[in-house]
Amino acid sequence: MNRAALTKRLVAGLKNREAVIGGIGNSNWDLWGADKTRGENFYMLGSMGLAAPIAMGVALAQPKRRVFALEGDGSLLMQLGCLSTIAAQAVKNLCVVVWDNGIYQITGGQGTPAAAARTDIVAIARASGIANAAWAADEAEFDALVAKALTTDGPHVIGVKIDQEPGRNQTDRDPIRFRESFMRAMALPV
Ligand SMILES: Cc1ncc(C[n+]2csc(CCOP(=O)(O)OP(=O)(O)O)c2C)c(N)n1
């Protein structure tokens, strides 16, 4: 599957001011490419593994809003403890999407442990206490899992095996503007 295409489909299907937190690099470049005009998008610039923890905070603060985190496999592997915290907090309105290309792509394509097929991120999520964790076998199943995350209690984790097409966009490097537009968007009721 392809991260840019699926990010576009995900964002196009959001109708209730859902928040989307893009992880470092490709995850947020493709979110930017999907719809850079959306105030409910937040772009994590600089640190691996923080999309899911930030999304968890937004979800806890605003329980009526659905919140998505988009994170690369290498980034999530750097911050695995967040899965246990998300499970322990039983964050009902949160969905973490993991784009598994098996590499740390933007720093040169070194293999992640997931690449060796020894580490199964969805199995780790389940063992962390997130029962609604599944690999999407294809695009139709991805759509179905997103629909489930929009309509049923989570937390949810969706693992997606993707190709190695690099992100084609570059997010503006403007964290203050991103913070302010996101805060303005989060002030609007769901
Ligand atoms: C805490 C931290 N360590 C290392 C880096 C350097 N770094 C930036 S992106 C990246 C690879 C990200 O890999 P992944 O999340 O799998 O996404 P991909 O690039 O494959 O889409 C690395 C090592 C960083 N930004 N932050």
PDB file of all heavy atoms in Angstrom, residues 5-20:
ATOM      1  N   ALA A   5      -1.333   7.902  -0.642  1.00  0.00           N
ATOM      2  CA  ALA A   5      -2.700   7.624  -1.106  1.00  0.00           C
ATOM      3  C   ALA A   5      -3.632   7.358   0.074  1.00  0.00           C
ATOM      4  O   ALA A   5      -4.751   7.876   0.130  1.00  0.00           O
ATOM      5  CB  ALA A   5      -2.686   6.428  -2.052  1.00  0.00           C
ATOM      6  N   LEU A   6      -3.152   6.570   1.034  1.00  0.00           N
ATOM      7  CA  LEU A   6      -4.027   6.241   2.169  1.00  0.00           C
ATOM      8  C   LEU A   6      -4.222   7.441   3.091  1.00  0.00           C
ATOM      9  O   LEU A   6      -5.291   7.609   3.677  1.00  0.00           O
ATOM     10  CB  LEU A   6      -3.477   5.047   2.946  1.00  0.00           C
ATOM     11  CG  LEU A   6      -3.550   3.711   2.210  1.00  0.00           C
ATOM     12  CD1 LEU A   6      -3.165   2.566   3.141  1.00  0.00           C
ATOM     13  CD2 LEU A   6      -4.938   3.452   1.633  1.00  0.00           C
ATOM     14  N   THR A   7      -3.212   8.291   3.210  1.00  0.00           N
ATOM     15  CA  THR A   7      -3.383   9.496   4.039  1.00  0.00           C
ATOM     16  C   THR A   7      -4.460  10.376   3.415  1.00  0.00           C
ATOM     17  O   THR A   7      -5.325  10.906   4.117  1.00  0.00           O
ATOM     18  CB  THR A   7      -2.054  10.275   4.148  1.00  0.00           C
ATOM     19  OG1 THR A   7      -1.035   9.394   4.638  1.00  0.00           O
ATOM     20  CG2 THR A   7      -2.178  11.458   5.096  1.00  0.00           C
ATOM     21  N   LYS A   8      -4.428  10.494   2.083  1.00  0.00           N
ATOM     22  CA  LYS A   8      -5.454  11.286   1.383  1.00  0.00           C
ATOM     23  C   LYS A   8      -6.853  10.729   1.629  1.00  0.00           C
ATOM     24  O   LYS A   8      -7.790  11.460   1.923  1.00  0.00           O
ATOM     25  CB  LYS A   8      -5.195  11.256  -0.138  1.00  0.00           C
ATOM     26  CG  LYS A   8      -4.428  12.439  -0.606  1.00  0.00           C
ATOM     27  CD  LYS A   8      -4.683  12.738  -2.084  1.00  0.00           C
ATOM     28  CE  LYS A   8      -3.866  13.973  -2.438  1.00  0.00           C
ATOM     29  NZ  LYS A   8      -2.724  13.700  -3.284  1.00  0.00           N
ATOM     30  N   ARG A   9      -6.976   9.399   1.527  1.00  0.00           N
ATOM     31  CA  ARG A   9      -8.293   8.770   1.746  1.00  0.00           C
ATOM     32  C   ARG A   9      -8.759   8.988   3.171  1.00  0.00           C
ATOM     33  O   ARG A   9      -9.921   9.285   3.420  1.00  0.00           O
ATOM     34  CB  ARG A   9      -8.207   7.257   1.514  1.00  0.00           C
ATOM     35  CG  ARG A   9      -8.145   6.873   0.081  1.00  0.00           C
ATOM     36  CD  ARG A   9      -7.562   5.490   0.001  1.00  0.00           C
ATOM     37  NE  ARG A   9      -8.555   4.465   0.249  1.00  0.00           N
ATOM     38  CZ  ARG A   9      -9.025   3.681  -0.695  1.00  0.00           C
ATOM     39  NH1 ARG A   9      -8.598   3.830  -1.925  1.00  0.00           N
ATOM     40  NH2 ARG A   9      -9.903   2.731  -0.418  1.00  0.00           N
ATOM     41  N   LEU A  10      -7.847   8.835   4.112  1.00  0.00           N
ATOM     42  CA  LEU A  10      -8.209   9.007   5.526  1.00  0.00           C
ATOM     43  C   LEU A  10      -8.721  10.426   5.762  1.00  0.00           C
ATOM     44  O   LEU A  10      -9.814  10.629   6.307  1.00  0.00           O
ATOM     45  CB  LEU A  10      -6.977   8.719   6.405  1.00  0.00           C
ATOM     46  CG  LEU A  10      -7.071   9.104   7.875  1.00  0.00           C
ATOM     47  CD1 LEU A  10      -8.093   8.240   8.603  1.00  0.00           C
ATOM     48  CD2 LEU A  10      -5.729   8.963   8.571  1.00  0.00           C
ATOM     49  N   VAL A  11      -7.944  11.417   5.329  1.00  0.00           N
ATOM     50  CA  VAL A  11      -8.298  12.816   5.599  1.00  0.00           C
ATOM     51  C   VAL A  11      -9.597  13.190   4.866  1.00  0.00           C
ATOM     52  O   VAL A  11     -10.458  13.884   5.421  1.00  0.00           O
ATOM     53  CB  VAL A  11      -7.124  13.744   5.203  1.00  0.00           C
ATOM     54  CG1 VAL A  11      -7.545  15.200   5.204  1.00  0.00           C
ATOM     55  CG2 VAL A  11      -5.955  13.529   6.166  1.00  0.00           C
ATOM     56  N   ALA A  12      -9.762  12.691   3.641  1.00  0.00           N
ATOM     57  CA  ALA A  12     -10.970  13.028   2.869  1.00  0.00           C
ATOM     58  C   ALA A  12     -12.230  12.501   3.546  1.00  0.00           C
ATOM     59  O   ALA A  12     -13.312  13.042   3.358  1.00  0.00           O
ATOM     60  CB  ALA A  12     -10.856  12.468   1.457  1.00  0.00           C
ATOM     61  N   GLY A  13     -12.087  11.457   4.348  1.00  0.00           N
ATOM     62  CA  GLY A  13     -13.263  10.857   4.993  1.00  0.00           C
ATOM     63  C   GLY A  13     -13.603  11.477   6.339  1.00  0.00           C
ATOM     64  O   GLY A  13     -14.564  11.058   6.990  1.00  0.00           O
ATOM     65  N   LEU A  14     -12.845  12.480   6.782  1.00  0.00           N
ATOM     66  CA  LEU A  14     -13.089  13.058   8.107  1.00  0.00           C
ATOM     67  C   LEU A  14     -14.099  14.188   7.993  1.00  0.00           C
ATOM     68  O   LEU A  14     -13.882  15.144   7.249  1.00  0.00           O
ATOM     69  CB  LEU A  14     -11.764  13.563   8.714  1.00  0.00           C
ATOM     70  CG  LEU A  14     -10.690  12.484   8.868  1.00  0.00           C
ATOM     71  CD1 LEU A  14      -9.420  13.081   9.451  1.00  0.00           C
ATOM     72  CD2 LEU A  14     -11.187  11.321   9.726  1.00  0.00           C
ATOM     73  N   LYS A  15     -15.195  14.082   8.724  1.00  0.00           N
ATOM     74  CA  LYS A  15     -16.307  15.037   8.581  1.00  0.00           C
ATOM     75  C   LYS A  15     -16.631  15.772   9.880  1.00  0.00           C
ATOM     76  O   LYS A  15     -17.507  16.627   9.894  1.00  0.00           O
ATOM     77  CB  LYS A  15     -17.582  14.301   8.122  1.00  0.00           C
ATOM     78  CG  LYS A  15     -17.408  13.432   6.883  1.00  0.00           C
ATOM     79  CD  LYS A  15     -17.180  14.250   5.614  1.00  0.00           C
ATOM     80  CE  LYS A  15     -16.995  13.361   4.396  1.00  0.00           C
ATOM     81  NZ  LYS A  15     -16.154  13.949   3.375  1.00  0.00           N
ATOM     82  N   ASN A  16     -15.988  15.412  10.974  1.00  0.00           N
ATOM     83  CA  ASN A  16     -16.360  15.987  12.276  1.00  0.00           C
ATOM     84  C   ASN A  16     -15.174  16.634  12.998  1.00  0.00           C
ATOM     85  O   ASN A  16     -15.006  16.458  14.194  1.00  0.00           O
ATOM     86  CB  ASN A  16     -16.989  14.904  13.159  1.00  0.00           C
ATOM     87  CG  ASN A  16     -18.315  14.448  12.603  1.00  0.00           C
ATOM     88  OD1 ASN A  16     -19.214  15.259  12.398  1.00  0.00           O
ATOM     89  ND2 ASN A  16     -18.426  13.159  12.322  1.00  0.00           N
ATOM     90  N   ARG A  17     -14.392  17.358  12.257  1.00  0.00           N
ATOM     91  CA  ARG A  17     -13.260  18.089  12.835  1.00  0.00           C
ATOM     92  C   ARG A  17     -12.332  17.184  13.656  1.00  0.00           C
ATOM     93  O   ARG A  17     -11.804  17.581  14.706  1.00  0.00           O
ATOM     94  CB  ARG A  17     -13.750  19.236  13.732  1.00  0.00           C
ATOM     95  CG  ARG A  17     -14.533  20.279  12.960  1.00  0.00           C
ATOM     96  CD  ARG A  17     -14.754  21.516  13.811  1.00  0.00           C
ATOM     97  NE  ARG A  17     -15.428  22.553  13.073  1.00  0.00           N
ATOM     98  CZ  ARG A  17     -16.527  23.192  13.485  1.00  0.00           C
ATOM     99  NH1 ARG A  17     -17.045  22.925  14.647  1.00  0.00           N
ATOM    100  NH2 ARG A  17     -17.058  24.121  12.753  1.00  0.00           N
ATOM    101  N   GLU A  18     -12.139  15.975  13.159  1.00  0.00           N
ATOM    102  CA  GLU A  18     -11.210  15.059  13.817  1.00  0.00           C
ATOM    103  C   GLU A  18      -9.796  15.646  13.791  1.00  0.00           C
ATOM    104  O   GLU A  18      -9.393  16.263  12.797  1.00  0.00           O
ATOM    105  CB  GLU A  18     -11.202  13.703  13.101  1.00  0.00           C
ATOM    106  CG  GLU A  18     -12.516  12.933  13.200  1.00  0.00           C
ATOM    107  CD  GLU A  18     -13.534  13.305  12.129  1.00  0.00           C
ATOM    108  OE1 GLU A  18     -13.346  14.326  11.410  1.00  0.00           O
ATOM    109  OE2 GLU A  18     -14.527  12.582  12.014  1.00  0.00           O
ATOM    110  N   ALA A  19      -9.057  15.448  14.870  1.00  0.00           N
ATOM    111  CA  ALA A  19      -7.658  15.887  14.893  1.00  0.00           C
ATOM    112  C   ALA A  19      -6.781  14.804  14.273  1.00  0.00           C
ATOM    113  O   ALA A  19      -7.036  13.612  14.455  1.00  0.00           O
ATOM    114  CB  ALA A  19      -7.219  16.158  16.328  1.00  0.00           C
ATOM    115  N   VAL A  20      -5.762  15.233  13.529  1.00  0.00           N
ATOM    116  CA  VAL A  20      -4.795  14.282  12.964  1.00  0.00           C
ATOM    117  C   VAL A  20      -3.396  14.790  13.291  1.00  0.00           C
ATOM    118  O   VAL A  20      -3.033  15.921  12.921  1.00  0.00           O
ATOM    119  CB  VAL A  20      -4.939  14.131  11.433  1.00  0.00           C
ATOM    120  CG1 VAL A  20      -4.002  13.033  10.922  1.00  0.00           C
ATOM    121  CG2 VAL A  20      -6.378  13.818  11.034  1.00  0.00           C
TER     122      VAL A  20
END
